[in-house]
Amino acid sequence: MALIAPQDHERPGLSLGGLELVPVLFVLGVLVSALGLSMLAPALLDFVVHDHDWLGFLQAAGLTLFSGLMLVASNWRRPIRLNLKQGFLLTCLSWVVLGLFGSLPFIFATTSLDLGDAVFESISGLTTTGSTVIHDLDHMPPGILFWRALQQWVGGIGIIGMAIALLPVLRVGGMQLFRMESSDTSERGLTRIGELGLSISVIYLVITVAVALGYMLGGMTMFDAICHAFTTVSTGGFSNWDTSMGTMGPGVLWIAVLGMILGAMPFLLFVQAARGRPEVLFKDSQVRTFLTFLVGCWLFVGTWLWLTSDKSFPAAITAAAFNITSVVTTTGFASEDYTLWGDFAVMFFFLITFAGGCTGSTSGAIKTFRYQIAYKVMRAHVRRRYLPHSIILSTYRGNPIDEDVAASVVLFFFATGATTAFIALGLTLLGLDWVTALSGAATAVGNVGPGLGPLIGPSGNFAILPDSAKWLLALGMLLGRLEFFTLLVLFSRDFWRR
């Protein structure tokens, strides 16, 4: 959504403090209406297979669509324009409100989840976190399984759009470094943003179809292949089975590895490659760093696993590559319980929970470019200690790293650590052990999925946690997905003043 200051001649409408809400509520209504329409797909699926869950989806769709259309009708006005503050508010409201409405199918359908569990599952899906509270997935009606996957797929494309079009304008977490012509808010800029959005959507769909075909060739049914392609490319990690990918052969696991890597790559580069510049994929420093780190981890842990277990070298490399890629890209699939590999594996997987993929992708966590910026800033700072009279300029992609970007990145690291610590402390106050609390907080803030330990580890489930813990973790998921400051700024008193 473009951010354009309203013109002086526009009629004022509903406002809160000094912030006009009409355009925000109108766009929010459009999004809620679209969500309601999307609920008809799993309803139709259950109707075709004669499962009575179609009625629950129909109820949820009707309530959601009615609410969305009411917002649209009551706030209709042309032209619809958003300024910077309205952009902040719309971004936050969209994830929260869509997450709440997305929980309705879980309440009305067979799962019959209570409000806390339903909201947790919905927020986890929309933010592509992948933590689940649903048991016995192997016997769930197809509508619920498809809805979980569809939520993650839609959330994934929303994450890409937010990272490319909105966060650079909002100057969140160093993302202003990626502000480009596509962030132009002139009429010509709007056209370019629309074209870019269409190109990214087409590429997102093409990659999803390719991964689904790969899964089908690997032996999955068409339904399972489509659902898992949705949750692979979106780096979401919801699976149709309680064992996640535990029953899949090495061929399917390597297809998943490729799909997760593609989902964690900058989609802007895919657009440039599709327009005749494929070399950009290999020249980009962020991509090279991300892939080098990933392959290095595969070889290191795979070799260690081969030497310390009864696995063959190919099996050890496959297990390491799949599970490490799943955690680094914040997907959350698992082929086995890697916490049983030993204390070293537990610590290693906890640390890479904070890694993340590339900016402009569907992945969560800190992301590669922030580590690059932090390293360059730290190196320049150290050099100034022993070369105080030298002019030392740090650059990224050939552009100088100004103090605003450096400060944003440092603050993002602080926000990640502080939020994880506070949520972990809150979880321990609710009675959880420190491994569950710390890994649960990290996986929620990083939008990763499984935590560590017997309760919420790769073979565990979040249903066993108290409702208060689930609400706290859902807040952590939203904070992590909204890059912290996008949501926290709404709690500033000055934000609501003229």
Side-chain angles (χ1 to χ4, degrees):
M1 177 56 63
L3 304 175
I4 303 180
Q7 299 177 1
D8 294 336
H9 66 271
E10 291 179 3
R11 174 176 55 87
L14 179 65
S15 63
L16 181 61
L19 188 64
E20 188 179 359
L21 300 179
V22 168
V24 175
L25 296 177
F26 175 83
V27 176
L28 186 63
V30 172
L31 296 175
V32 171
S33 300
L35 183 72
L37 289 174
S38 68
M39 293 177 185
L40 297 177
L44 179 61
L45 183 61
D46 277 340
F47 180 80
V48 170
V49 299
H50 305 292
D51 190 286
H52 66 274
D53 258 8
W54 71 272
L55 287 171
F57 275 105
L58 200 61
Q59 288 177 307
L63 181 57
T64 303
L65 191 58
F66 173 78
S67 301
L69 291 177
M70 287 294 291
L71 282 173
V72 170
S74 58
N75 294 282
W76 174 264
R77 190 185 68 185
R78 296 184 67 88
I80 294 294
R81 301 177 184 273
L82 295 171
N83 59 30
L84 187 62
K85 286 187 176 181
Q86 291 166 334
F88 270 108
L89 182 60
L90 176 61
T91 303
C92 297
L93 283 179
S94 297
W95 290 96
V96 174
V97 172
L98 294 181
L100 292 175
F101 277 102
S103 68
L104 294 179
F106 298 114
I107 296 174
F108 294 148
T110 296
T111 55
S112 299
L113 300 180
D114 60 28
L115 180 62
D117 282 352
V119 171
F120 180 92
E121 191 79 12
S122 179
I123 295 293
S124 178
L126 196 64
T127 60
T128 72
T129 301
S131 304
T132 186
V133 295
I134 299 180
H135 288 289
D136 202 21
L137 290 168
D138 305 66
H139 302 98
M140 278 290 147
I144 281 292
L145 297 177
F146 185 76
W147 177 242
R148 296 166 80 241
L150 183 61
Q151 270 193 307
Q152 292 203 322
W153 194 70
V154 171
I157 192 66
I159 291 162
I160 296 170
M162 183 177 69
I164 292 174
L166 195 61
L167 292 183
V169 180
L170 300 181
R171 307 172 70 83
V172 171
M175 289 297 293
Q176 58 267 43
L177 192 67
F178 298 91
R179 187 169 182 175
M180 57 192 76
E181 290 183 7
S182 62
S183 301
D184 183 12
T185 56
S186 65
E187 186 173 347
R188 179 183 177 185
L190 293 179
T191 302
R192 293 179 63 85
I193 290 174
E195 293 174 352
L196 180 62
L198 179 60
S199 299
I200 289 174
S201 299
V202 170
I203 290 172
Y204 190 68
L205 178 60
V206 168
I207 294 175
T208 303
V209 171
V211 172
L213 291 175
Y215 281 150
M216 291 173 64
L217 291 174
M220 284 191 187
T221 65
M222 179 182 292
F223 176 73
D224 287 333
I226 292 173
C227 288
H228 283 84
F230 279 176
T231 60
T232 300
V233 178
S234 66
T235 61
F238 273 157
S239 177
N240 290 356
W241 310 298
D242 288 322
T243 57
S244 189
M245 291 283 206
T247 60
M248 295 293 101
V252 170
L253 296 184
W254 280 105
I255 292 169
V257 167
L258 177 59
M260 290 186 284
I261 290 175
L262 291 175
M265 299 269 278
F267 273 71
L268 274 178
L269 296 186
F270 290 144
V271 173
Q272 295 176 24
R275 292 176 177 176
R277 297 178 57 200
E279 70 278 2
V280 297
L281 288 171
F282 308 101
K283 291 182 178 181
D284 186 81
S285 64
Q286 183 181 199
V287 172
R288 291 200 307 268
T289 302
F290 167 65
L291 294 179
T292 300
F293 172 75
L294 203 56
V295 174
C297 288
W298 296 353
L299 296 175
F300 176 64
V301 176
T303 302
W304 170 82
L305 188 60
W306 171 53
L307 294 173
T308 58
S309 71
D310 58 356
K311 293 180 182 290
S312 65
F313 185 73
I317 289 295
T318 298
F322 178 81
N323 290 287
I324 287 171
T325 304
S326 178
V327 174
V328 169
T329 62
T330 70
T331 304
F333 286 138
S335 63
E336 57 184 283
D337 189 349
Y338 43 77
T339 62
L340 300 179
W341 295 353
D343 292 337
F344 165 75
V346 172
M347 179 57 70
F348 183 87
F349 277 95
F350 174 74
L351 292 177
I352 64 174
T353 296
F354 297 94
C358 301
T359 187
S361 71
T362 63
S363 70
I366 293 177
K367 298 187 178 67
T368 303
F369 92 92
R370 292 192 177 100
Y371 287 104
Q372 291 179 301
I373 297 296
Y375 170 74
K376 289 176 178 289
V377 171
M378 182 181 69
R379 186 180 63 176
H381 180 76
V382 171
R383 291 184 66 190
R384 290 190 188 101
R385 298 310 94 192
Y386 62 85
L387 296 172
H389 303 296
S390 299
I391 299 177
I392 301 172
L393 183 64
S394 299
T395 61
Y396 185 79
R397 290 181 171 176
N399 299 315
I401 301 174
D402 60 37
E403 293 183 358
D404 186 35
V405 171
S408 294
V409 170
V410 171
L411 286 172
F412 189 89
F413 273 92
F414 172 78
T416 300
T419 304
T420 302
F422 278 118
I423 291 178
L425 186 62
L427 292 174
T428 57
L429 288 173
L430 296 173
L432 302 184
D433 64 275
W434 73 269
V435 173
T436 301
L438 186 57
S439 65
T443 196
V445 171
N447 304 121
V448 177
L452 299 172
L455 298 182
I456 61 171
S459 59
N461 189 286
F462 284 73
I464 197 171
L465 302 185
D467 284 346
S468 51
K470 294 168 189 170
W471 284 104
L472 185 58
L473 289 171
L475 175 61
M477 296 177 201
L478 287 170
L479 280 168
R481 181 48 68 199
L482 289 169
E483 309 265 315
F484 304 105
F485 301 104
T486 311
L487 180 59
L488 293 178
V489 73
L490 299 185
F491 294 92
S492 171
R493 183 182 301 175
D494 293 335
F495 177 84
W496 302 99
R497 294 175 178 173
R498 290 186 181 276

PDB file of all heavy atoms in Angstrom, residues 107-128:
ATOM      1  N   ILE A 107     -12.537 -22.367  15.470  1.00  0.00           N
ATOM      2  CA  ILE A 107     -13.556 -22.392  16.520  1.00  0.00           C
ATOM      3  C   ILE A 107     -14.816 -23.101  16.039  1.00  0.00           C
ATOM      4  O   ILE A 107     -15.422 -23.898  16.764  1.00  0.00           O
ATOM      5  CB  ILE A 107     -13.892 -20.959  16.976  1.00  0.00           C
ATOM      6  CG1 ILE A 107     -12.665 -20.297  17.606  1.00  0.00           C
ATOM      7  CG2 ILE A 107     -15.059 -20.948  17.955  1.00  0.00           C
ATOM      8  CD1 ILE A 107     -12.853 -18.831  17.957  1.00  0.00           C
ATOM      9  N   PHE A 108     -15.210 -22.844  14.781  1.00  0.00           N
ATOM     10  CA  PHE A 108     -16.456 -23.391  14.260  1.00  0.00           C
ATOM     11  C   PHE A 108     -16.305 -24.799  13.688  1.00  0.00           C
ATOM     12  O   PHE A 108     -17.304 -25.518  13.545  1.00  0.00           O
ATOM     13  CB  PHE A 108     -17.020 -22.483  13.162  1.00  0.00           C
ATOM     14  CG  PHE A 108     -17.454 -21.138  13.667  1.00  0.00           C
ATOM     15  CD1 PHE A 108     -17.369 -20.017  12.861  1.00  0.00           C
ATOM     16  CD2 PHE A 108     -17.955 -20.985  14.948  1.00  0.00           C
ATOM     17  CE1 PHE A 108     -17.776 -18.765  13.316  1.00  0.00           C
ATOM     18  CE2 PHE A 108     -18.356 -19.743  15.416  1.00  0.00           C
ATOM     19  CZ  PHE A 108     -18.267 -18.633  14.602  1.00  0.00           C
ATOM     20  N   ALA A 109     -15.088 -25.211  13.351  1.00  0.00           N
ATOM     21  CA  ALA A 109     -14.903 -26.493  12.677  1.00  0.00           C
ATOM     22  C   ALA A 109     -14.659 -27.611  13.682  1.00  0.00           C
ATOM     23  O   ALA A 109     -14.786 -27.433  14.899  1.00  0.00           O
ATOM     24  CB  ALA A 109     -13.743 -26.396  11.687  1.00  0.00           C
ATOM     25  N   THR A 110     -14.271 -28.796  13.172  1.00  0.00           N
ATOM     26  CA  THR A 110     -14.130 -29.995  13.996  1.00  0.00           C
ATOM     27  C   THR A 110     -13.151 -29.821  15.136  1.00  0.00           C
ATOM     28  O   THR A 110     -13.319 -30.413  16.205  1.00  0.00           O
ATOM     29  CB  THR A 110     -13.674 -31.176  13.113  1.00  0.00           C
ATOM     30  OG1 THR A 110     -14.702 -31.443  12.159  1.00  0.00           O
ATOM     31  CG2 THR A 110     -13.440 -32.429  13.935  1.00  0.00           C
ATOM     32  N   THR A 111     -12.087 -29.046  14.904  1.00  0.00           N
ATOM     33  CA  THR A 111     -11.079 -28.894  15.944  1.00  0.00           C
ATOM     34  C   THR A 111     -11.669 -28.365  17.251  1.00  0.00           C
ATOM     35  O   THR A 111     -11.208 -28.703  18.334  1.00  0.00           O
ATOM     36  CB  THR A 111      -9.972 -27.925  15.488  1.00  0.00           C
ATOM     37  OG1 THR A 111     -10.569 -26.679  15.092  1.00  0.00           O
ATOM     38  CG2 THR A 111      -9.207 -28.509  14.315  1.00  0.00           C
ATOM     39  N   SER A 112     -12.702 -27.510  17.129  1.00  0.00           N
ATOM     40  CA  SER A 112     -13.395 -26.950  18.299  1.00  0.00           C
ATOM     41  C   SER A 112     -12.406 -26.389  19.322  1.00  0.00           C
ATOM     42  O   SER A 112     -12.534 -26.613  20.534  1.00  0.00           O
ATOM     43  CB  SER A 112     -14.293 -28.010  18.960  1.00  0.00           C
ATOM     44  OG  SER A 112     -15.283 -28.461  18.062  1.00  0.00           O
ATOM     45  N   LEU A 113     -11.435 -25.662  18.844  1.00  0.00           N
ATOM     46  CA  LEU A 113     -10.469 -25.053  19.745  1.00  0.00           C
ATOM     47  C   LEU A 113     -11.116 -23.927  20.529  1.00  0.00           C
ATOM     48  O   LEU A 113     -12.033 -23.262  20.032  1.00  0.00           O
ATOM     49  CB  LEU A 113      -9.281 -24.504  18.948  1.00  0.00           C
ATOM     50  CG  LEU A 113      -8.465 -25.491  18.110  1.00  0.00           C
ATOM     51  CD1 LEU A 113      -7.334 -24.769  17.399  1.00  0.00           C
ATOM     52  CD2 LEU A 113      -7.912 -26.617  18.973  1.00  0.00           C
ATOM     53  N   ASP A 114     -10.650 -23.709  21.746  1.00  0.00           N
ATOM     54  CA  ASP A 114     -11.145 -22.552  22.485  1.00  0.00           C
ATOM     55  C   ASP A 114     -10.496 -21.299  21.899  1.00  0.00           C
ATOM     56  O   ASP A 114      -9.630 -21.373  21.018  1.00  0.00           O
ATOM     57  CB  ASP A 114     -10.885 -22.685  23.983  1.00  0.00           C
ATOM     58  CG  ASP A 114      -9.406 -22.806  24.340  1.00  0.00           C
ATOM     59  OD1 ASP A 114      -8.557 -22.278  23.579  1.00  0.00           O
ATOM     60  OD2 ASP A 114      -9.079 -23.432  25.362  1.00  0.00           O
ATOM     61  N   LEU A 115     -10.896 -20.141  22.403  1.00  0.00           N
ATOM     62  CA  LEU A 115     -10.458 -18.880  21.806  1.00  0.00           C
ATOM     63  C   LEU A 115      -8.937 -18.747  21.828  1.00  0.00           C
ATOM     64  O   LEU A 115      -8.316 -18.373  20.821  1.00  0.00           O
ATOM     65  CB  LEU A 115     -11.098 -17.699  22.544  1.00  0.00           C
ATOM     66  CG  LEU A 115     -10.720 -16.301  22.024  1.00  0.00           C
ATOM     67  CD1 LEU A 115     -11.171 -16.132  20.578  1.00  0.00           C
ATOM     68  CD2 LEU A 115     -11.338 -15.222  22.908  1.00  0.00           C
ATOM     69  N   GLY A 116      -8.325 -19.063  22.967  1.00  0.00           N
ATOM     70  CA  GLY A 116      -6.876 -18.914  23.085  1.00  0.00           C
ATOM     71  C   GLY A 116      -6.126 -19.789  22.096  1.00  0.00           C
ATOM     72  O   GLY A 116      -5.200 -19.333  21.411  1.00  0.00           O
ATOM     73  N   ASP A 117      -6.530 -21.064  21.995  1.00  0.00           N
ATOM     74  CA  ASP A 117      -5.867 -21.981  21.068  1.00  0.00           C
ATOM     75  C   ASP A 117      -6.107 -21.578  19.622  1.00  0.00           C
ATOM     76  O   ASP A 117      -5.203 -21.658  18.778  1.00  0.00           O
ATOM     77  CB  ASP A 117      -6.373 -23.405  21.290  1.00  0.00           C
ATOM     78  CG  ASP A 117      -5.750 -24.065  22.511  1.00  0.00           C
ATOM     79  OD1 ASP A 117      -4.817 -23.467  23.087  1.00  0.00           O
ATOM     80  OD2 ASP A 117      -6.193 -25.157  22.897  1.00  0.00           O
ATOM     81  N   ALA A 118      -7.330 -21.150  19.311  1.00  0.00           N
ATOM     82  CA  ALA A 118      -7.668 -20.774  17.932  1.00  0.00           C
ATOM     83  C   ALA A 118      -6.872 -19.547  17.491  1.00  0.00           C
ATOM     84  O   ALA A 118      -6.355 -19.504  16.367  1.00  0.00           O
ATOM     85  CB  ALA A 118      -9.165 -20.507  17.818  1.00  0.00           C
ATOM     86  N   VAL A 119      -6.783 -18.545  18.357  1.00  0.00           N
ATOM     87  CA  VAL A 119      -6.017 -17.348  18.015  1.00  0.00           C
ATOM     88  C   VAL A 119      -4.535 -17.688  17.890  1.00  0.00           C
ATOM     89  O   VAL A 119      -3.852 -17.213  16.973  1.00  0.00           O
ATOM     90  CB  VAL A 119      -6.236 -16.245  19.072  1.00  0.00           C
ATOM     91  CG1 VAL A 119      -5.279 -15.080  18.849  1.00  0.00           C
ATOM     92  CG2 VAL A 119      -7.686 -15.750  19.020  1.00  0.00           C
ATOM     93  N   PHE A 120      -4.028 -18.520  18.780  1.00  0.00           N
ATOM     94  CA  PHE A 120      -2.627 -18.935  18.707  1.00  0.00           C
ATOM     95  C   PHE A 120      -2.344 -19.612  17.370  1.00  0.00           C
ATOM     96  O   PHE A 120      -1.360 -19.293  16.693  1.00  0.00           O
ATOM     97  CB  PHE A 120      -2.311 -19.895  19.854  1.00  0.00           C
ATOM     98  CG  PHE A 120      -0.885 -20.394  19.864  1.00  0.00           C
ATOM     99  CD1 PHE A 120       0.085 -19.728  20.582  1.00  0.00           C
ATOM    100  CD2 PHE A 120      -0.531 -21.538  19.154  1.00  0.00           C
ATOM    101  CE1 PHE A 120       1.405 -20.186  20.589  1.00  0.00           C
ATOM    102  CE2 PHE A 120       0.779 -21.998  19.145  1.00  0.00           C
ATOM    103  CZ  PHE A 120       1.749 -21.324  19.877  1.00  0.00           C
ATOM    104  N   GLU A 121      -3.185 -20.559  16.982  1.00  0.00           N
ATOM    105  CA  GLU A 121      -2.982 -21.285  15.723  1.00  0.00           C
ATOM    106  C   GLU A 121      -3.067 -20.344  14.532  1.00  0.00           C
ATOM    107  O   GLU A 121      -2.280 -20.453  13.578  1.00  0.00           O
ATOM    108  CB  GLU A 121      -4.032 -22.399  15.594  1.00  0.00           C
ATOM    109  CG  GLU A 121      -3.782 -23.383  14.477  1.00  0.00           C
ATOM    110  CD  GLU A 121      -2.720 -24.425  14.833  1.00  0.00           C
ATOM    111  OE1 GLU A 121      -2.341 -24.515  16.011  1.00  0.00           O
ATOM    112  OE2 GLU A 121      -2.291 -25.149  13.907  1.00  0.00           O
ATOM    113  N   SER A 122      -4.013 -19.414  14.570  1.00  0.00           N
ATOM    114  CA  SER A 122      -4.195 -18.479  13.463  1.00  0.00           C
ATOM    115  C   SER A 122      -3.024 -17.503  13.346  1.00  0.00           C
ATOM    116  O   SER A 122      -2.506 -17.273  12.247  1.00  0.00           O
ATOM    117  CB  SER A 122      -5.498 -17.703  13.650  1.00  0.00           C
ATOM    118  OG  SER A 122      -5.689 -16.780  12.605  1.00  0.00           O
ATOM    119  N   ILE A 123      -2.606 -16.924  14.467  1.00  0.00           N
ATOM    120  CA  ILE A 123      -1.463 -16.003  14.452  1.00  0.00           C
ATOM    121  C   ILE A 123      -0.205 -16.743  14.017  1.00  0.00           C
ATOM    122  O   ILE A 123       0.609 -16.220  13.235  1.00  0.00           O
ATOM    123  CB  ILE A 123      -1.257 -15.368  15.843  1.00  0.00           C
ATOM    124  CG1 ILE A 123      -2.456 -14.475  16.223  1.00  0.00           C
ATOM    125  CG2 ILE A 123       0.044 -14.557  15.877  1.00  0.00           C
ATOM    126  CD1 ILE A 123      -2.601 -13.243  15.384  1.00  0.00           C
ATOM    127  N   SER A 124      -0.034 -17.954  14.512  1.00  0.00           N
ATOM    128  CA  SER A 124       1.118 -18.759  14.123  1.00  0.00           C
ATOM    129  C   SER A 124       1.124 -19.026  12.627  1.00  0.00           C
ATOM    130  O   SER A 124       2.178 -19.008  11.990  1.00  0.00           O
ATOM    131  CB  SER A 124       1.114 -20.083  14.896  1.00  0.00           C
ATOM    132  OG  SER A 124       2.189 -20.909  14.499  1.00  0.00           O
ATOM    133  N   GLY A 125      -0.060 -19.253  12.062  1.00  0.00           N
ATOM    134  CA  GLY A 125      -0.147 -19.492  10.624  1.00  0.00           C
ATOM    135  C   GLY A 125       0.115 -18.241   9.815  1.00  0.00           C
ATOM    136  O   GLY A 125       0.924 -18.235   8.889  1.00  0.00           O
ATOM    137  N   LEU A 126      -0.556 -17.152  10.154  1.00  0.00           N
ATOM    138  CA  LEU A 126      -0.451 -15.925   9.375  1.00  0.00           C
ATOM    139  C   LEU A 126       0.949 -15.332   9.433  1.00  0.00           C
ATOM    140  O   LEU A 126       1.437 -14.781   8.433  1.00  0.00           O
ATOM    141  CB  LEU A 126      -1.473 -14.904   9.876  1.00  0.00           C
ATOM    142  CG  LEU A 126      -1.767 -13.716   8.970  1.00  0.00           C
ATOM    143  CD1 LEU A 126      -2.398 -14.174   7.665  1.00  0.00           C
ATOM    144  CD2 LEU A 126      -2.679 -12.717   9.661  1.00  0.00           C
ATOM    145  N   THR A 127       1.610 -15.432  10.577  1.00  0.00           N
ATOM    146  CA  THR A 127       2.976 -14.910  10.703  1.00  0.00           C
ATOM    147  C   THR A 127       4.014 -15.910  10.209  1.00  0.00           C
ATOM    148  O   THR A 127       5.213 -15.654  10.307  1.00  0.00           O
ATOM    149  CB  THR A 127       3.293 -14.547  12.167  1.00  0.00           C
ATOM    150  OG1 THR A 127       3.155 -15.725  12.984  1.00  0.00           O
ATOM    151  CG2 THR A 127       2.356 -13.471  12.676  1.00  0.00           C
ATOM    152  N   THR A 128       3.558 -17.044   9.688  1.00  0.00           N
ATOM    153  CA  THR A 128       4.402 -18.146   9.199  1.00  0.00           C
ATOM    154  C   THR A 128       5.347 -18.652  10.273  1.00  0.00           C
ATOM    155  O   THR A 128       6.474 -19.053   9.983  1.00  0.00           O
ATOM    156  CB  THR A 128       5.193 -17.759   7.924  1.00  0.00           C
ATOM    157  OG1 THR A 128       6.239 -16.844   8.239  1.00  0.00           O
ATOM    158  CG2 THR A 128       4.293 -17.156   6.870  1.00  0.00           C
TER     159      THR A 128
END
